[in-house]
Amino acid sequence: MTIYSIQYLRAIAALMVAANHVFAYPYDIETGEQGVDIFFVISGFIILYIMEKNQRTYGKFLMSRFFRIAPLYYLITLFAIIIGFIDFPNLLHSLQAITFIKFYKTSPPLAVGWTLEYEFIFYSLCSFSILIFSKQNIRIILILVMLLCAVILIDFVIFSEKKYGHFAEFGFGIIIYLIYRLEFFKRINHIYYIFLALTGFFLLIYTDIAIYKNNFTYLRFVYWGVPSFLIVLSLLLIEDKIFQSKFLLYLGNASYSIYLTHLPTIYIFESIFSYDKYNSFFIWQIFIFILVVLFACFIHTFVEKPIANFIKIKFDKKILS
């Protein structure tokens, strides 16, 4: 079953990230980081939704998530090395890229990979809950407790200078999943949810201007996580009122490719055409943005989807089913 609101939000979040690196916004407005927070909230919801719909063992669940994110990530990292966007990684960075293990004070070779490290930790916690418990509601309690521990230990103790609180955003997504299962909230007038969603988008920009003036985004789970919660929850609860668009659905399906490829693609334009968003006409920025998205769509159609189909055919019955 396709949840159109989730796919549309994936498209919006990916385009927010890509646009942030292409366009020179007035007042140094940021949209890329907020897009990441929306992604984390979406993941919290969709992973619990998948756990309910597809009953898998803990090993098959974790492998299915690994095969969903790893192949394309490895290929785009290699592509980024070949074109000179990133240097050839040392042993530590190579291990970080391959294993999705989050190391202190280091980043994976492909910069956006840090978010996949958070994702894979979340997948591992969910897999552990499947191993320990068979009932979904008890698993949810365990996952929420482990996420709270992760917020305290990783976000507040180990990375104390940042205090992003990203693991709390997965928790927000789980809360959305719990609300989504209740019919009562779906009977509330959709106008209220449209207002909440618009309020959420407004807060994402307002907090960036009013609070994160020096680009020090502490407590992101509060200032961007909560608005992202409002956006995802609101659009999910009006799923039956949302129009169906093949174009937006396709962009949602291509969101992972957009997210991974946009920085290396921009680098190509910077190298060949000396592109600089701060010294380019707006029409040139729009043109570059379109090309970035088109290239990502090409990668999605001719690389990501064939890989996914190959894995499904070769490994689905043995590993992923």
Side-chain angles (χ1 to χ4, degrees):
M1 175 184 174
T2 299
I3 304 178
Y4 283 86
S5 56
I6 289 295
Q7 292 304 95
Y8 295 172
L9 281 172
R10 279 175 166 164
I12 291 170
L15 294 176
M16 286 172 64
V17 175
N20 187 72
H21 294 105
V22 174
F23 293 104
Y25 294 127
Y27 308 109
D28 290 326
I29 292 175
E30 169 76 37
T31 62
E33 293 181 340
Q34 297 98 311
V36 169
D37 293 88
I38 293 175
F39 271 129
F40 285 151
V41 175
I42 290 174
S43 289
F45 167 81
I46 204 67
I47 293 303
L48 269 293
Y49 183 83
I50 290 172
M51 286 172 59
E52 179 185 17
K53 298 297 180 182
N54 302 326
Q55 297 295 323
R56 290 171 173 161
T57 65
Y58 73 96
K60 289 181 179 178
F61 170 82
L62 191 59
M63 289 302 293
S64 70
R65 301 320 302 167
F66 174 81
F67 280 115
R68 171 66 185 90
I69 66 173
L72 187 64
Y73 174 62
Y74 294 161
L75 284 176
I76 299 304
T77 299
L78 181 61
F79 170 70
I81 293 172
I82 292 173
I83 66 173
F85 174 60
I86 57 177
D87 295 328
F88 195 87
N90 58 31
L91 179 60
L92 179 63
H93 284 82
S94 298
L95 287 173
Q96 189 171 8
I98 294 171
T99 63
F100 299 103
I101 295 175
K102 189 167 186 61
F103 294 132
Y104 181 63
K105 295 291 187 181
T106 63
S107 298
L110 190 63
V112 296
W114 72 268
T115 62
L116 302 183
E117 294 170 355
Y118 272 94
E119 291 277 357
F120 207 73
I121 291 173
F122 176 56
Y123 300 159
S124 300
L125 297 182
C126 293
S127 178
F128 180 71
S129 76
I130 296 172
L131 172 65
I132 300 299
F133 297 113
S134 59
K135 293 184 177 180
Q136 180 80 341
N137 289 340
I138 301 177
R139 291 173 179 171
I140 290 172
I141 294 173
L142 177 61
I143 295 170
L144 288 173
V145 170
M146 291 190 292
L147 285 174
L148 178 60
C149 294
V151 169
I152 296 172
L153 179 61
I154 298 178
D155 284 328
F156 284 4
V157 176
I158 297 178
F159 295 95
S160 58
E161 72 279 8
K162 295 181 179 179
K163 294 185 176 65
Y164 286 164
H166 285 312
F167 288 108
E169 295 174 335
F170 294 113
F172 291 162
I174 294 174
I175 293 172
I176 292 173
Y177 163 79
L178 294 173
I179 296 174
Y180 181 74
R181 295 196 301 179
L182 302 175
E183 289 297 323
F184 167 78
F185 292 98
K186 297 177 183 178
R187 293 196 294 266
I188 297 175
N189 193 309
H190 68 279
I191 297 298
Y192 295 111
Y193 292 128
I194 293 175
F195 174 77
L196 279 179
L198 293 175
T199 300
F201 280 112
F202 169 78
L203 289 174
L204 288 180
I205 302 302
Y206 175 77
T207 50
D208 178 61
I209 297 173
I211 297 174
Y212 296 139
K213 293 180 179 179
N214 298 320
N215 202 34
F216 182 59
T217 51
Y218 57 91
L219 299 180
R220 277 174 60 169
F221 77 101
V222 175
Y223 298 111
W224 286 343
V226 172
S228 297
F229 168 84
L230 295 176
I231 293 167
V232 178
L233 174 64
S234 300
L235 293 185
L236 268 170
L237 291 177
I238 59 171
E239 171 74 14
D240 59 339
K241 301 290 193 301
I242 292 179
F243 65 94
Q244 296 185 6
S245 166
K246 291 183 179 180
F247 175 69
L248 286 177
L249 182 62
Y250 176 83
L251 287 180
N253 292 333
S255 60
Y256 188 48
S257 290
I258 295 173
Y259 184 67
L260 290 182
T261 63
H262 76 278
L263 286 177
T265 308
I266 294 171
Y267 171 78
I268 292 174
F269 291 115
E270 290 173 342
S271 301
I272 297 177
F273 302 107
S274 299
Y275 174 72
D276 178 3
K277 68 178 184 178
Y278 295 107
N279 295 295
S280 300
F281 292 112
F282 182 64
I283 189 65
W284 181 232
Q285 296 175 27
I286 293 176
F287 180 67
I288 294 295
F289 180 71
I290 292 173
L291 291 180
V292 166
V293 174
L294 285 176
F295 178 73
C297 290
F298 174 86
I299 294 297
H300 167 68
T301 301
F302 297 103
V303 180
E304 182 184 3
K305 286 181 67 176
I307 290 174
N309 292 334
F310 174 81
I311 291 173
K312 186 175 182 180
I313 293 171
K314 294 294 183 180
F315 301 104
D316 197 40
K317 292 183 179 180
K318 296 180 180 180
I319 297 176
L320 305 180
S321 62

